Amino acid sequence: MSSSSPLIRPTRSHAIAHDLRALLGSDKVKDDGPTITAYAVDASIYRMPPQAVVLVESDDDIAATIGYARSRGIPLTPRAAGTNLTGSAIGSGIILDVSRLNRILEVNREEKWARVQPGIVLAELNRQLSAHGLLFGPDPSSGDMCKLGGMVANNSSGPHTLRYGSVKDNVQSLRLCLASSSWIEARSYALADPTLERLLTMVPALRDVLVLTQTHADLIAAKRPLVSKNSCGYNLFGIADGLASGRFDLTKLFVGSEGTLGIVSEATLTLVDKPEATVTALIHFRNLEEVGEAVPRLLTLMPSALEVMDANTLNLIGRGKHGIPAEASATLLLELDADSLKIDLRERAEAITAICGPYKLASEPTLAFDAERREQLWKARKALYPTLYRFDPKKKPINFVDDVVVPAERISELIRYLEDFFEGQHVPVAVFGHIGNGNAHIVPLLDVNDRGDFEKMVQAYQDVHSTVLNRFGGSICGEHGDGRVRAEFVKRMFGDELYDLFVQVKKAFDPENVLNPGIKLSDASFTDHIDYTRLSKSCATCAKCNSVCPVYDVFQSEDMSARGWFEIVTAKDYSYLNSKRVVEACLNCKSCRTICPAGVDVSDLILQKRAEHPNRLAGWIFRHQAKRVNFEAVLHILASTQAVWDRPFFRKLLERITRPIMKRLAPTARLPHDLVLPKLAQRHLRERYTHLIPDESDSPPTRRVAYFHGCAANYFDDGVGDAVIEVLKKHGVEPALPPQRCSGTPIQTYGHVDLARDGARFNVRSFIPYETIVTGCASCTLMLKDYPALFPEGEERQRAEALARKVVHISEFVARSTQHPPMATAGETTKRVTYHSSCHLRAAGVTKEPRQVLSSLPGVDFVEMQSADRCAGGAGTYLVKDYDTSQKIFDRKARAISQTGANVVATSCPACMIQLKNGLGEAVEVKHVAQLLQDAYQAAERENS
């Protein structure tokens, strides 16, 4: 803000972090290179490296950090998930990360409110509230990863604003720390309330705002945006509304202030009942103009959501991929809720069809009533922005005019203007958003490193915003906040007089301009601090990967997250030695790859960096494993003596003796004495089924199906390999057990790519003659499918691709089988079974089949657990590489399993079974999907015998 006193801009040093560590403790303060790199970005187009990061864990931490920043004149930027698109979560001084303040403190079911901390993820908040039949209404599309603090800061809303409103409409009170380090409760006070008078005396800035609003009531009324939603500037309009009814509602001032007036540590939220049922409709219009005609009629149905995607957007995300007709000029996504089971949603769905009947549609409306199908219809919309990163290697979706609002009845006119404008610029553009309240998100695709595209961006910034204000009478900001990207245009929107009132508000609360300077009020160009390097990369930094990263779930620090790792390992100054702490923290669970709409595999980037410094101890072990004879002889000795050395006394001794060796694997590695180790097989699987091992003369093979058992099923006495073989036999298949080596997952995880490639060559040669390759291990399934990535273009890759096409997990094989072996009839005993979805099987695209198999079993009550798709923390040898972290990761899984009331947990991977058995103990039985199938088939035999 140009009119404020200048800040001290400290040069890069460790002095700030040193001071903060002395103040707060060393665990809460970071300023190493990887951390600074990770926190230099959010989901916006900007980069700004901070001086230090503080991971606050209490109100005292917040107050102390603010006090220090103010005393030194150092910029202080609050940050939650860093999913905002405006650059308001990055800053040049201290980042105050509230992510560790992530608890629900209190829920009142009767009065429908909850008191929560700012670091809780919206999706997690609503998952926990669902147990009470409640939800928090505002739902930005980033709901899987955005956190409450950011939602309060930006006054977020989302697709369901029509029903639930914005955050400002759903907050009862806030606990805030001001720049003075004093705390206030920001709520609605009656003007005659003595508590208010005491508060005004204690905090003169509040009296200044009160007097300022009263004095300039006419100006504020005249400048109020006449649209359904607005988050531009400070919300003096909401303050004025409260004063008109005799109340001073402080929540209206602080919600949407983007951390420039104070920092929130708690919020009391208004909740609503979860709908009893919902129907989602997808409607493809041939003519954009007819969308504008249909919307007012569809709004009479009182939809909870009404979204639009224009033709350009449909083209960019891929019509074929999402089943969108070629003739569609725009697509509407509409949702209707039923608050009572007495409401007939099918009747209301027919009303949708009737309203759309007169219009030219590209296909019949698609109606979805079940949760899974509805989620599929929403999938493209919610992942739209990062999906656009796939469009072009150079042209990226750039958010700089992304949140305009016009009167709802003029939204089609706005879309047509935008399409014509960007067509004139020869710039691809996606236009989508909340058509029901006139809020459009505009995302042009540009190469900002190209001078011509850069100039087009600057022109579009001025022209589009000016047109929205002058022609449409709209707002430049509906729900994303002003941040850095719109700050320079706030004065243009409201005029000098009202802007001056905003400046006075900022000065009253933050006279030194320490709290998030440059955000919301600034005359700096929106092009300052654009991250030209990152905008040429493949990652959207949207943080979807963080929402599923098990390491981030534990540490709640950006340097220990998938998004942070991408920034760290792709930085120009990357160094393995400086970044080893974070590079070695990744589990290689592939969750980031599974969820990323832009197709980025952060775990693969991590593996590439590890390959530059492969672990020597792991390499020694893997080389001996490949030779088999000596390696398996040692395993036989260990198996025959396990009853002795696996006793508590010897395990404690073993942990102590192996500690120096384990340190060579990782600084955190150990063999914990209380870790429940798998039982080693005294006779390996291949020794038990020698008749299935083909001899050299069996070429071509007489059997069509081969079983790739992997290491765990071969070496452990866990019954998985036997179950897979028996299940295959029940389906009329006697599988071959060709010679095989480790699939390569653990080998690659420790950086030995050449060893993994050698093993892949061996396995390809051994298994390529077979028509089908069945697996029982999730990691083996994924690795075999990923073999082509190990080889350059050529014959070896082609052979690896041919092999990959033949690989099926046992659950897939059974689900697709035309044979249906008899199973036991359901008796009086019913097993309550839940399913842990193994990360690597999910990454291999196998999600439905294990659930289908389990649901079909007689005597099984299958129940889906929350967080079924979250990593359990085992990740093969990660269990010993970092036992403490693996157990913290497992905590979430243990809670989810407990909530189901299941007495059996099924999984699709022997490695996951180890972690589950270790974490659950005797409380819950752990079984492979194949073992439950085996049980059902064997029970049928007993019934018929």
Side-chain angles (χ1 to χ4, degrees):
M1 192 168 57
S2 59
S3 55
S4 299
S5 56
L7 288 168
I8 297 172
R9 303 284 182 178
T11 55
R12 183 80 186 98
S13 75
H14 296 282
I16 295 173
H18 180 272
D19 292 346
L20 289 168
R21 287 189 185 99
L23 193 64
L24 304 169
S26 58
D27 292 342
K28 300 174 186 175
V29 182
K30 296 184 177 184
D31 72 330
D32 58 286
T35 299
I36 296 303
T37 298
Y39 276 93
V41 303
D42 53 14
S44 71
I45 60 177
Y46 301 109
R47 173 182 293 275
M48 187 176 286
Q51 301 292 320
V53 175
V54 178
L55 301 162
V56 295
E57 297 178 5
S58 68
D59 284 1
D60 289 345
D61 291 346
I62 293 174
T65 306
I66 292 176
Y68 174 80
R70 187 182 184 191
S71 68
R72 300 294 195 276
I74 301 169
L76 179 68
T77 298
R79 177 179 174 123
T83 58
N84 83 93
L85 300 170
T86 69
S88 62
I90 56 174
S92 62
I94 300 168
I95 298 290
L96 187 150
D97 191 333
V98 299
S99 296
R100 292 182 178 177
L101 294 171
N102 54 23
R103 293 183 297 131
I104 298 178
L105 302 173
E106 188 178 2
V107 177
N108 189 308
R109 175 67 185 90
E110 290 70 31
E111 298 178 9
K112 298 180 185 177
W113 56 262
R115 190 164 57 90
V116 303
Q117 293 182 312
I120 192 165
V121 175
L122 174 62
E124 180 65 25
L125 170 65
N126 278 330
R127 267 195 293 269
Q128 294 190 39
L129 290 176
S130 67
H132 303 276
L134 299 170
L135 64 82
F136 182 58
D139 64 333
S141 296
S142 58
D144 286 342
M145 59 276 193
C146 74
K147 297 176 181 177
L148 185 73
M151 293 178 66
V152 170
N154 294 333
N155 185 30
S156 300
S157 49
H160 291 85
T161 311
L162 285 174
R163 178 167 190 182
Y164 301 119
S166 301
V167 169
K168 67 179 174 61
D169 307 309
N170 293 273
V171 172
Q172 295 183 14
S173 67
L174 301 169
R175 178 166 167 76
L176 284 142
C177 191
L178 304 178
S180 61
S181 294
S182 58
W183 291 89
I184 66 167
E185 182 186 6
R187 59 178 176 84
S188 178
Y189 293 89
L191 291 177
D193 188 345
T195 305
L196 176 60
E197 183 56 37
R198 289 194 295 272
L199 185 60
L200 296 177
T201 302
M202 184 183 76
V203 185
L206 292 174
R207 192 182 299 277
D208 291 344
V209 171
L210 175 59
V211 172
L212 177 147
T213 308
Q214 290 172 328
T215 304
H216 299 279
D218 292 342
L219 172 65
I220 294 169
K223 294 293 183 179
R224 177 193 292 269
L226 300 178
V227 286
S228 64
K229 58 200 292 193
N230 170 68
S231 291
C232 189
Y234 291 121
N235 189 14
L236 297 181
F237 316 104
I239 295 290
D241 289 343
L243 294 178
S245 58
R247 305 195 69 82
F248 191 22
D249 189 351
L250 298 182
T251 64
K252 296 298 189 288
L253 177 64
F254 289 104
V255 173
S257 62
E258 301 184 66
T260 61
L261 305 180
I263 295 178
V264 175
S265 74
E266 289 180 19
T268 301
L269 309 175
T270 299
L271 307 177
V272 296
D273 290 319
K274 286 183 63 178
E276 293 289 345
T278 300
V279 59
T280 303
L282 194 66
I283 312 161
H284 304 295
F285 285 80
R286 289 177 179 267
N287 298 321
L288 179 62
E289 286 72 20
E290 290 192 343
V291 173
E293 295 175 20
V295 164
R297 299 182 64 193
L298 290 169
L299 287 173
T300 64
L301 300 177
M302 304 297 289
S304 57
L306 186 57
E307 298 288 289
V308 67
M309 291 181 283
D310 82 324
N312 293 336
T313 305
L314 302 176
N315 293 335
L316 291 169
I317 65 174
R319 291 174 182 260
K321 181 179 179 182
H322 298 285
I324 300 165
E327 302 82 12
S329 293
T331 290
L332 286 185
L333 193 62
L334 180 145
E335 199 153 86
L336 298 173
D337 292 333
D339 294 329
S340 167
L341 292 176
K342 296 179 181 178
I343 298 175
D344 187 352
L345 276 181
R346 295 195 178 275
E347 183 179 307
R348 300 188 68 194
E350 290 173 5
I352 297 173
T353 305
I355 287 175
C356 296
Y359 303 113
K360 296 176 182 176
L361 303 182
S363 65
E364 288 295 313
T366 301
L367 301 171
F369 294 87
D370 65 282
E372 184 177 345
R373 179 67 177 132
R374 289 192 292 105
E375 189 174 327
Q376 277 300 115
L377 295 185
W378 277 101
K379 189 174 182 180
R381 169 64 184 88
K382 290 191 173 184
L384 208 159
Y385 167 65
T387 301
L388 295 174
Y389 264 71
R390 292 174 178 256
F391 175 72
D392 188 286
K394 289 187 176 181
K395 292 185 182 291
K396 303 299 180 185
I398 308 296
N399 289 283
F400 63 95
V401 286
D402 59 291
D403 192 30
V404 305
V405 188
V406 299
E409 64 273 13
R410 300 186 67 184
I411 191 73
S412 293
E413 183 186 348
L414 173 71
I415 292 173
R416 182 64 72 199
Y417 154 73
L418 293 169
E419 290 179 342
D420 291 345
F421 176 84
F422 286 103
E423 183 180 358
Q425 282 197 327
H426 303 290
V427 169
V429 64
V431 183
F432 54 95
H434 320 309
I435 192 170
N437 49 31
N439 187 192
H441 299 316
I442 310 158
V443 186
L445 277 72
L446 299 161
D447 177 5
V448 293
N449 291 284
D450 175 83
R451 186 65 192 171
D453 273 12
F454 180 86
E455 290 174 353
K456 290 176 182 177
M457 177 179 68
V458 174
Q459 180 192 353
Y461 179 87
Q462 298 295 333
D463 290 0
V464 171
H465 282 151
S466 296
T467 301
V468 166
L469 295 180
N470 300 329
R471 174 174 160 184
F472 291 94
S475 169
I476 62 172
C477 175
E479 59 184 9
H480 292 171
D482 295 314
R484 300 181 185 284
V485 76
R486 279 177 282 277
E488 68 168 290
F489 221 88
V490 174
K491 184 185 290 187
R492 290 272 298 276
M493 176 166 166
F494 291 109
D496 292 345
E497 290 182 274
L498 187 56
Y499 185 82
D500 184 59
L501 297 189
F502 295 160
V503 171
Q504 291 180 51
V505 170
K506 171 66 172 172
K507 282 186 175 180
F509 283 96
D510 183 21
E512 283 84 17
N513 194 26
V514 168
L515 297 180
N516 226 0
I519 301 302
K520 196 167 271 295
L521 304 180
S522 175
D523 56 8
S525 170
F526 83 98
T527 59
D528 290 356
H529 306 293
I530 286 180
D531 188 357
Y532 297 98
T533 300
R534 181 172 60 81
L535 290 175
S536 64
K537 297 178 182 178
S538 57
C539 175
T541 63
C542 66
K544 272 192 171 293
C545 52
N546 282 9
S547 72
V548 295
C549 178
V551 178
Y552 180 69
D553 198 32
V554 169
F555 291 96
Q556 293 295 310
S557 179
E558 195 71 45
D559 57 308
M560 299 292 273
S561 75
R563 175 175 63 177
W565 295 334
F566 178 89
E567 288 301 307
I568 292 164
V569 302
T570 60
K572 289 182 178 179
D573 60 351
Y574 166 79
S575 161
Y576 176 81
L577 295 179
N578 291 338
S579 306
K580 184 177 180 180
R581 169 182 67 86
V582 297
V583 169
E584 293 296 339
C586 174
L587 278 74
N588 187 31
C589 69
K590 300 295 184 185
S591 296
C592 53
R593 158 176 155 177
T594 304
I595 201 171
C596 181
V600 178
D601 186 348
V602 177
S603 58
D604 186 62
L605 295 174
I606 293 285
L607 294 181
Q608 291 175 31
K609 297 304 180 184
R610 289 183 187 173
E612 297 171 5
H613 299 268
N615 184 276
R616 292 183 180 180
L617 175 61
W620 182 84
I621 295 171
F622 295 138
R623 278 189 288 272
H624 280 78
Q625 182 191 13
K627 295 176 183 176
R628 285 188 55 187
V629 179
N630 293 336
F631 182 83
E632 293 185 357
V634 171
L635 288 182
H636 279 121
I637 295 171
L638 290 173
S640 63
T641 58
Q642 187 167 7
V644 176
W645 59 258
D646 206 7
R647 294 176 179 176
F649 171 77
F650 290 104
R651 284 292 303 279
K652 289 180 180 179
L653 186 63
L654 191 62
E655 180 179 359
R656 188 176 303 171
I657 292 172
T658 58
R659 190 170 295 159
I661 301 172
M662 298 299 290
K663 294 295 182 186
R664 296 177 63 185
L665 198 65
T668 53
R670 61 190 179 95
L671 190 63
H673 66 272
D674 56 346
L675 169 63
V676 178
L677 292 173
K679 186 179 179 182
L680 296 172
Q682 296 194 25
R683 292 183 67 223
H684 295 163
L685 183 77
R686 299 185 68 81
E687 294 169 340
R688 299 197 300 274
Y689 294 92
T690 54
H691 62 286
L692 298 181
I693 299 174
D695 56 39
E696 294 181 1
S697 62
D698 188 27
S699 180
T702 55
R703 297 185 181 92
R704 296 181 298 106
V705 177
Y707 172 32
F708 191 96
H709 49 68
C711 304
N714 189 33
Y715 299 141
F716 297 155
D717 185 12
D718 59 9
V720 173
D722 304 274
V724 171
I725 291 172
E726 183 171 342
V727 167
L728 288 173
K729 287 182 177 180
K730 289 293 183 184
H731 283 262
V733 172
E734 185 175 70
L737 301 182
Q740 59 184 269
R741 293 185 186 174
C742 173
S743 67
T745 299
I747 301 172
Q748 190 182 40
T749 297
Y750 284 96
H752 292 276
V753 178
D754 289 340
L755 279 176
R757 189 177 292 114
D758 287 343
R761 288 192 180 103
F762 182 93
N763 290 332
V764 169
R765 285 195 301 271
S766 188
F767 281 83
I768 198 68
Y770 296 89
E771 292 180 15
T772 304
I773 302 163
V774 176
T775 60
C777 171
S779 296
C780 293
T781 307
L782 180 64
M783 192 69 197
L784 294 174
K785 287 177 176 287
D786 279 354
Y787 272 177
L790 292 173
F791 302 103
E793 292 290 345
E795 184 178 349
E796 281 191 310
R797 173 175 281 197
Q798 292 172 6
R799 286 169 60 82
E801 289 171 346
L803 178 88
R805 289 191 291 268
K806 301 177 180 182
V807 176
V808 294
H809 187 264
I810 183 63
S811 60
E812 289 181 282
F813 185 91
V814 171
R816 298 172 185 174
S817 175
T818 56
Q819 297 197 29
H820 302 285
M823 295 183 183
T825 56
E828 295 181 1
T829 304
T830 299
K831 293 181 179 179
R832 191 170 176 83
V833 178
T834 191
Y835 175 64
H836 159 65
S837 176
S838 303
C839 301
H840 283 184
L841 194 64
R842 196 168 62 256
V846 184
T847 57
K848 295 181 180 180
E849 291 86 353
R851 292 172 166 92
Q852 290 172 357
V853 168
L854 293 171
S855 299
S856 70
L857 296 177
V860 165
D861 174 21
F862 176 69
V863 56
E864 188 77 31
M865 77 168 89
Q866 286 190 356
S867 304
D869 291 344
R870 301 289 300 218
C871 179
T877 59
Y878 191 87
L879 188 59
V880 294
K881 183 180 179 182
D882 192 342
Y883 182 71
D884 293 340
T885 299
S886 78
Q887 295 313 292
K888 290 176 182 176
I889 292 171
F890 185 72
D891 284 345
R892 175 193 281 265
K893 185 67 64 175
R895 290 193 302 270
I897 292 169
S898 176
Q899 288 168 5
T900 66
N903 47 30
V904 178
V905 179
T907 185
S908 45
C909 186
C912 290
M913 290 174 68
I914 298 172
Q915 174 77 326
L916 290 165
K917 288 180 178 179
N918 177 68
L920 296 174
E922 301 296 325
V924 181
E925 189 177 11
V926 178
K927 287 209 166 188
H928 193 282
V929 173
Q931 290 177 302
L932 289 170
L933 277 164
Q934 180 188 35
D935 290 347
Y937 297 149
Q938 289 179 345
E941 290 179 352
R942 288 193 297 269
E943 281 184 356
N944 297 325
S945 62

